[in-house]
């Protein structure tokens, strides 16, 4: 008798699991059933926001539902990542984050989410190189002069960034630690507002993605001191890298990826991945990214496995560097 009621319980439980799996699949087939929101961890008008908005146009076409961009700023991108990690598993909230997702585990001792286990990985998106720029009226006209200027004005030189966990902060941290001179850091909610203050002369220096800086470099509105890649940029062939100018091996590239909450059904994650691939193949998107010297990730990386591989290897790479620099937040 007892055995029979146990068996009945087991059958009822299995049946509910099957019903739940079936209803998830039915929902997955209908996806998206409402507008899809891309969550950007930094301010509107910045480089992450710019790429998300560019992609949202062809993604809307592919999805048959509006893809909107929302900026959930603060704590170096971890508030946005936590928002998506804790969201319903229905693919309507998509995180668009950069390298900061893999530096946060070393910077923050208590993240409210688990980077490797709380997300479904959609795919890598783009790789953006960075540039070290200065306010237009900064007396130093090149990197050599900048080093002399910093030596003479150590206590008053300011370096803008988008907060701990931002790639601008990572780049600035590497720059100051290689120089061996700690500069005053001025944090913003994104490099959109930070570059406005560089242009206005309120802050001295900023390390930021070409997505944000190239237009001002081309218009001669900022001073340019070098690029953060090992090779010179095709858009700035005459500009030496920081590595060439003495900061040996200096390299920071802002790679980006897309994520949804863990447990989102495969048909939904596959559709988001297909929408992303569709957007990256769009002629206008390709032309705009090329203009900004932003590279589209190779096809094998625009995959869940490609992104997971990248996040894992970047966590391993940056953890010891951040620890050595002693740059903890809490
Ligand atoms: C932004 O979009 O504002 C930047 O990516 C922030 C950063 O420097 O990480």
């Amino acid at each position: 008798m007892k055995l029979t009621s146990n068996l009945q319980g087991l059958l009822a439980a299995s049946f509910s699991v099957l019903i739940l799996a079936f209803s998830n699949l039915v929902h997955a087939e209908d996806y998206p059933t409402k507008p899809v929101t891309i969550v950007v961890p930094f301010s509107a008008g910045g480089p992450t926001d710019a790429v998300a908005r560019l992609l949202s146009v062809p993604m809307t076409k592919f999805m048959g539902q509006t893809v909107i961009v929302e900026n959930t700023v603060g704590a170096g991108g971890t508030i946005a990542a936590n928002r998506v990690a804790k969201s319903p598993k229905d693919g309507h909230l998509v995180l668009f984050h950069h390298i900061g997702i893999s530096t946060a585990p070393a910077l923050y001792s208590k993240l409210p989410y688990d980077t490797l286990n709380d997300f479904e990985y959609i795919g890598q998106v783009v790789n953006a190189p960075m540039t070290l720029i200065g306010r237009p009226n900064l007396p130093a006209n090149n990197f050599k002069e900048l080093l002399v200027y910093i030596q003479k004005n150590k206590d008053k030189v300011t370096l803008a960034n988008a907060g701990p966990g931002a790639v601008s902060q990572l780049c600035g941290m590497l720059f100051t630690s290689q120089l061996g001179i700690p500069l005053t850091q001025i944090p913003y909610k994104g490099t959109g507002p930070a570059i406005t203050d560089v242009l206005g002369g309120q802050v001295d220096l900023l390390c930021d993605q070409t997505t944000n800086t190239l237009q001002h470099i081309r218009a001669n509105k900022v001073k340019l001191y070098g690029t953060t890649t090992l090779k010179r940029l095709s858009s700035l062939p005459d500009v030496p890298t920081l590595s060439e100018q003495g900061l040996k091996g200096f390299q920071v590239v802002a790679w980006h990826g897309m994520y949804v909450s863990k447990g989102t059904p495969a048909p939904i994650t596959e559709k988001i991945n297909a929408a992303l691939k569709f957007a990256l193949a769009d002629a206008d998107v390709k032309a705009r990214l090329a203009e900004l010297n932003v590279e589209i990730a190779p096809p094998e990386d625009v995959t869940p496995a490609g992104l997971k591989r990248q996040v894992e290897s970047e966590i391993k790479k940056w953890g010891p560097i951040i620890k050595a620099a002693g740059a903890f937040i809490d």
Side-chain angles (χ1 to χ4, degrees):
M1 185 67 182
K2 190 154 187 271
L3 191 69
T4 316
S5 72
N6 277 351
L7 194 65
Q8 275 173 344
L10 200 66
L11 279 174
S14 317
F15 190 64
S16 334
V17 169
L18 273 177
I19 294 277
L20 190 70
F22 181 71
S23 81
N24 273 348
L25 272 181
V26 170
H27 285 123
E29 290 304 310
D30 295 342
Y31 173 82
T33 53
K34 57 181 180 184
V36 174
T37 302
I38 299 183
V39 178
V40 167
F42 300 100
S43 305
T48 318
D49 180 77
V51 176
R53 284 177 203 275
L54 192 60
L55 297 175
S56 70
V57 178
M59 283 181 82
T60 293
K61 211 188 284 176
F62 185 90
M63 295 279 202
Q65 280 278 0
T66 314
V67 175
I68 55 172
V69 173
E70 229 175 74
N71 306 82
T72 300
V73 303
T78 59
I79 294 176
N82 191 43
R83 181 181 170 204
V84 175
K86 305 278 190 308
S87 67
K89 306 165 192 325
D90 62 9
H92 289 95
L93 219 55
V94 179
L95 175 67
F96 180 57
H97 201 347
H98 58 34
I99 179 174
I101 199 153
S102 59
T103 54
L107 287 166
Y108 294 82
S109 65
K110 289 184 289 284
L111 277 181
Y113 58 88
D114 178 336
T115 311
L116 293 176
N117 296 305
D118 284 354
F119 297 101
E120 296 296 341
Y121 289 63
I122 303 295
Q124 283 190 56
V125 183
V126 291
N127 302 317
M130 302 182 80
T131 50
L132 180 65
I133 59 165
R135 64 180 159 86
N137 53 353
L138 200 64
N141 288 314
N142 52 49
F143 188 68
K144 217 167 146 194
E145 290 178 16
L146 179 67
L147 293 185
V148 175
Y149 181 83
I150 289 176
Q151 283 291 353
K152 284 196 185 141
N153 299 279
K154 286 186 186 99
D155 299 333
K156 62 174 203 191
V157 175
T158 52
L159 177 60
N161 65 46
V167 66
S168 46
Q169 191 259 352
L170 177 69
C171 183
M173 179 197 87
L174 292 180
F175 176 62
T176 53
S177 72
Q178 285 211 19
L179 289 191
I181 303 173
L183 301 176
T184 305
Q185 311 273 332
I186 312 285
Y188 292 80
K189 298 273 187 233
T191 53
I195 206 166
T196 303
D197 275 7
V198 172
L199 292 164
Q202 286 91 355
V203 65
D204 295 324
L205 297 168
L206 171 68
C207 185
D208 197 12
Q209 298 160 61
T210 51
T211 330
N212 214 24
T213 61
L214 261 189
Q215 56 172 319
H216 304 300
I217 292 169
R218 287 180 177 135
N220 271 324
K221 289 199 175 141
V222 289
K223 295 274 168 81
L224 172 60
Y225 299 114
T227 60
T228 67
T229 43
L230 293 180
K231 280 195 195 148
R232 291 188 184 196
L233 301 184
S234 56
S235 58
L236 299 167
D238 301 329
V239 178
T241 66
L242 292 174
S243 182
E244 261 180 82
Q245 298 184 93
L247 301 184
K248 286 273 163 285
F250 195 102
Q251 189 186 22
V252 190
V253 173
W255 55 267
H256 296 69
M258 268 187 191
Y259 313 78
V260 289
S261 56
K262 187 77 181 176
T264 304
I268 294 181
T269 56
E270 282 159 12
K271 189 152 187 188
I272 303 171
N273 179 273
L276 171 62
K277 285 187 173 133
F278 177 82
L280 292 175
D282 180 87
D284 291 342
V285 168
K286 282 163 79 170
R288 183 70 187 132
L289 292 175
E291 227 171 76
L292 298 170
N293 208 137
V294 174
E295 269 176 24
I296 293 174
E300 66 274 17
D301 292 342
V302 189
T303 57
L307 179 57
K308 187 104 190 234
R309 209 171 34 237
Q310 176 76 352
V311 173
E312 280 171 345
S313 81
E314 289 279 282
I315 288 177
K316 281 200 192 113
K317 171 179 168 182
W318 291 107
I321 298 173
I322 290 167
K323 286 196 175 101
F328 308 113
I329 311 309
D330 49 5

